[in-house]
Every structure is written in C-alpha cells, then in structure tokens.
Amino acid sequence: MKSDKISEAVVRRLPVYLRFLNDLQNREIATVSSQELGQRLDLNPAQIRKDLAYFGDFGRKGIGYDVPYLIEKIRHILKLDQQINVVLVGAGNLGQALSNYNIYLKDTMKITAVFDSYPPKIGTKINTLTVQPMDELASTVREQGIRIGIITVPEQEAQKVADILIGAGIEAILNFAPVILKTPPEIRVHAADFTTDLQSLAYYLHEGKDEEEHGY
Amino acid sequence: MKSDKISEAVVRRLPVYLRFLNDLQNREIATVSSQELGQRLDLNPAQIRKDLAYFGDFGRKGIGYDVPYLIEKIRHILKLDQQINVVLVGAGNLGQALSNYNIYLKDTMKITAVFDSYPPKIGTKINTLTVQPMDELASTVREQGIRIGIITVPEQEAQKVADILIGAGIEAILNFAPVILKTPPEIRVHAADFTTDLQSLAYYLHEGKDEEEHGY
C-alpha cells in the first residue's frame, strides 16, 4: 500500500508545497529552487529535496524545479487530479465557515453536501448548499460518490457521526471535534482540533517571559 | 535556541500525545506503553519512543510511561505550565467557532480578546468576550501581555492584520486565511488552512476508484 511508503509528515507537507507553487504559477514564475521554497516555507532546503525525491527526480541542478510540472506531479500524488466529493456534518459556526472555504477549493475537491441533526437548521442554505437531515446521509453519499467526511459537531456527538459516515462508505475523516475517534484501521482520520495547533505554537514562543531555565 | 533542536514534526505531535494522555488520566489510567500510544494515534511505537526520548528518559521497560509525569513534562516543554494569552482577529463564523473552543482550553492558554474592523460587529459578545475595534489592539495586547495571535479574517486582509499583530508585539501567529504571510524570521507562523488538511487526507483514499496505475 502506498500509504505505508511515504511518511505522514511528508504527505502533510505536500499541500503546503502545492499552495506555494500555485502562488508562483499565478505570478507566472516558471522555476523555483529548494532554497527559495525553504525560505518561504520555513523548512530546510535539504528536507524539501528529500521530500520531493520520494516521487521521482524532479529537480535540475542550478535551475531548480519546473513549477507547472511539480504542481502536476503533486496533484497526481495527492489524487487531486480526480473529482473528490466531501460531506460536512454539523452546520454550526465552524461548519458554515468551512463551507465558505469551498470557494478556495479551486481543485476537484469540494464540499458537495451538508448535514445536521438540529431541525431548525435543516433546509437552510450555506452558499449554494442546502442543509439536509441525517437520515438522507447514506443515500446522498452513495448518489454523489462522496469519499471524505468532515465532522464539525459538538464533542459528545462526534463518535456517533463518525460511525454513521463509516457506515455510509466514507474512506477518510477530517475531525474538528476535540475527541479521539474510534475507527477501523482502513479509515484514515486526521484530527483538525485547533487547540493542538495552538499548543505546538506555544513551543516557539520566545524565552525569558516569566520562565526559569529548562533542563533539556 | 530550543526551536532549532527539536523538529517541527515532533513539536506538532506533542499536543496529540498530550490530548491522549489527558484522556487516560481522566480515566485514572496510570501507565501507558508506546505500543498502546502508537495503536491509538496511528503512529509507529518506535517513532513515539524516539520523540519522547528527546526530552529525557521517561519510559520504563516492560511498564511503559508514567501518565501524570509525562503530562507534566510535555506541558512544561510546550510552555503550557505558564499563562499564555491569545488574541483573535476576525469575529466571523470561524472566529466565533474558535472562540467557542475556549471552553476546551482547560489549560492556561486562552483567547482573552477578540477584534474586528467591521463596525456592526464591534461591541457584540462571543461568550464572555466583547468584540473590540482594531485601534484598541496594541494597547490590549500590552495590557494583557498577549503573546499569540489568531487570524480569521478574509484572505485579502490577512497580511495587514499580521503586520498590526507583529507591530503590537505578538510572537507567534496561527493563520486561518488561505495566504502565505510575509513575516520576520523571529515570528513563528503556523498555517491552519483546512484545505491543506483535506488535501493530505486525499492521499490516503483507497486505490481503485476511477484510477489507473501509479508510477511511483
């Protein structure tokens, strides 16, 4: 299986490369060096060369990487060159905010359906999508060939929603609820809890403010 | 500087360990093996032992890790054993959703102030916080000793807000706007664009649905 060959850390960096490369392409810049990539993305150039070497020999010494070619390769690796439909469950503030991001997903990956269990939400519109009741989830997932689910429901409902999504045939879940989901091994789950982002950021705060020395 | 010693990938995993360890502690489980951690978090046990070994010799062969001790250590490493105030700029759907997460931040890290530039938003309440106008940002950051900023404004305003935050003395930024910010090297920026989360998830979709073979 491919997912065993490339480390998760590398897979998580590829979309970051892609975003920057798309930005370069919009500015009609045709080549980029690992030094430039490293400087912009706060990564070691050797790390970037190593990451990209997993997928073949892209770079040209002294010239750098061909931007359109690298974009095409990364899109293919990430399966972004095929249509991937996404379902979102939980039409609260966060769910609405994420649905609004749809406009940035220029790619073939789109939120195509939104669900909620709260009756007053059902039938309301978020952009072009109408919030549907949970009992329509399985049939909508099947009809639209949806493969990824986003969970933006409260903590105590997240496991139940995950079970429903998996039962409906979803292959991967992006979970925004601050709980660790119990899922079968073939279902990939990424936790998008923003508290972990914030906590890892704290590590990089400058030393010296109300702090003693560290022993490590 | 400490931030050079430990790789970003490790720092990003520590809050994930912490979340699971807190969960174990709530269930009054006193020790955990790297096997159990690995199984729950979908990581190689050897990777976990290596990550934790950065910070000293925590584990006991055949017994595993002492849960309360490991929690204390990781909290100290991540600077979560000191009060860290956070400011959020952009009180839209996403900003409101993130402010609501405050209740999960049992730790000393809290959003203590929310700002927006849109007059009708100013003075409105999100939980216990009142949305303030941008011209009060610098003084509030100083008075509250705020060290981290969260950006949840539209794409085209993000750079301006980053400049204001940095000018006010912020040390680190969590950026939800889908742009790459230009910031001085001493300011740590994490991009929390959920599209990159979604894109890396697509990599793990099962093979075989409208796909030819892959050359890598």
Side-chain angles (χ1 to χ4, degrees):
Chain A
M1 255 184 55
K2 245 175 60 182
S3 41
D4 295 332
K5 284 200 302 197
I6 301 168
S7 82
E8 177 168 340
V10 177
V11 171
R12 284 190 174 267
R13 280 196 287 272
L14 290 179
V16 180
Y17 297 152
L18 186 60
R19 184 161 54 157
F20 182 56
L21 290 165
N22 281 329
D23 192 41
L24 290 176
Q25 191 168 45
N26 290 342
R27 286 151 51 206
E28 296 181 3
I29 296 168
T31 56
V32 64
S33 68
S34 54
Q35 279 76 14
E36 286 170 84
L37 275 166
Q39 212 171 4
R40 275 318 250 116
L41 303 174
D42 199 12
L43 283 166
N44 188 315
Q47 178 70 65
I48 291 173
R49 287 193 298 272
K50 199 177 150 214
D51 284 359
L52 298 178
Y54 272 98
F55 310 110
D57 185 21
F58 294 138
R60 292 288 162 266
K61 208 158 184 148
I63 298 171
Y65 295 96
D66 182 89
V67 170
Y69 183 72
L70 197 50
I71 287 174
E72 194 196 314
K73 274 288 178 187
I74 294 179
R75 282 174 51 85
H76 183 65
I77 291 160
L78 290 175
K79 304 197 177 120
L80 298 175
D81 53 357
Q82 52 178 299
Q83 177 73 31
I84 298 171
N85 292 341
V86 178
V87 58
L88 183 141
V89 184
N93 275 319
L94 183 59
Q96 289 178 49
L98 296 182
S99 302
N100 285 327
Y101 263 96
N102 244 350
I103 48 165
Y104 297 113
L105 298 172
K106 296 149 201 125
D107 275 311
T108 49
M109 187 183 261
K110 288 258 186 226
I111 297 170
T112 57
V114 177
F115 291 84
D116 204 295
S117 63
Y118 183 54
K121 287 269 179 201
I122 292 160
T124 61
K125 283 258 188 186
I126 304 176
N127 291 322
T128 58
L129 300 169
T130 303
V131 179
Q132 296 175 254
M134 290 302 286
D135 59 11
E136 293 179 7
L137 192 142
S139 59
T140 301
V141 163
R142 203 169 44 240
E143 281 156 26
Q144 299 188 0
I146 291 172
R147 301 176 68 183
I148 294 181
I150 301 177
I151 297 180
T152 50
V153 299
E155 194 170 14
Q156 59 278 13
E157 288 176 42
Q159 183 63 51
K160 201 178 79 186
V161 168
D163 295 343
I164 293 170
L165 287 170
I166 294 165
I170 287 295
E171 297 165 47
I173 291 173
L174 183 58
N175 175 32
F176 283 86
V179 284
I180 294 168
L181 299 173
K182 290 177 189 65
T183 52
E186 69 275 17
I187 306 295
R188 185 83 194 183
V189 179
H190 283 183
D193 177 7
F194 101 111
T195 59
T196 58
D197 277 328
L198 261 186
Q199 290 177 340
S200 65
L201 203 51
Y203 176 80
Y204 296 101
L205 291 175
H206 307 161
E207 301 289 338
K209 283 203 183 165
D210 45 276
E211 252 188 63
E212 337 80 272
E213 40 72 74
H214 288 263
Y216 33 82
Chain B
M1 254 184 60
K2 245 174 59 178
S3 41
D4 295 331
K5 283 200 301 195
I6 301 167
S7 83
E8 179 169 338
V10 177
V11 171
R12 283 190 173 265
R13 279 195 289 271
L14 290 178
V16 180
Y17 297 152
L18 186 60
R19 185 162 52 157
F20 182 57
L21 291 165
N22 281 328
D23 193 39
L24 289 176
Q25 192 168 46
N26 290 341
R27 286 152 52 206
E28 296 181 5
I29 296 168
T31 56
V32 65
S33 69
S34 55
Q35 279 76 14
E36 287 171 83
L37 275 166
Q39 213 171 4
R40 280 311 256 118
L41 303 174
D42 199 12
L43 282 165
N44 187 316
Q47 178 70 65
I48 291 174
R49 287 193 297 271
K50 199 179 149 212
D51 284 359
L52 298 178
Y54 272 99
F55 308 111
D57 184 22
F58 293 140
R60 293 287 162 266
K61 206 155 188 155
I63 300 172
Y65 295 95
D66 182 89
V67 170
Y69 183 72
L70 197 51
I71 288 175
E72 194 195 313
K73 274 289 177 187
I74 294 179
R75 282 175 49 85
H76 183 65
I77 291 160
L78 290 175
K79 303 197 176 120
L80 298 174
D81 53 355
Q82 54 177 297
Q83 176 74 30
I84 297 172
N85 292 341
V86 177
V87 59
L88 183 141
V89 184
N93 275 321
L94 184 59
Q96 288 178 48
L98 297 181
S99 303
N100 286 328
Y101 264 96
N102 243 351
I103 50 166
Y104 297 113
L105 299 172
K106 298 150 200 124
D107 275 310
T108 47
M109 188 183 260
K110 287 260 184 224
I111 297 170
T112 57
V114 177
F115 290 85
D116 205 293
S117 63
Y118 183 55
K121 287 270 179 199
I122 292 161
T124 61
K125 282 259 188 187
I126 304 177
N127 292 321
T128 58
L129 300 170
T130 303
V131 179
Q132 296 176 255
M134 291 301 286
D135 60 11
E136 292 179 8
L137 192 143
S139 60
T140 300
V141 164
R142 203 171 42 241
E143 280 157 26
Q144 298 187 2
I146 291 172
R147 301 175 67 183
I148 294 181
I150 300 176
I151 297 180
T152 51
V153 299
E155 194 171 12
Q156 61 278 11
E157 288 175 43
Q159 183 64 53
K160 202 178 78 185
V161 168
D163 295 342
I164 292 170
L165 286 170
I166 294 164
I170 287 295
E171 297 166 47
I173 291 173
L174 183 58
N175 176 32
F176 283 84
V179 286
I180 295 168
L181 299 173
K182 291 177 188 65
T183 52
E186 69 274 16
I187 306 296
R188 185 83 194 181
V189 179
H190 283 184
D193 178 8
F194 100 112
T195 60
T196 59
D197 278 327
L198 262 186
Q199 291 177 339
S200 64
L201 202 50
Y203 176 80
Y204 296 101
L205 291 176
H206 308 160
E207 301 290 336
K209 284 201 183 167
D210 44 276
E211 254 188 60
E212 336 81 271
E213 40 74 75
H214 287 262
Y216 33 81

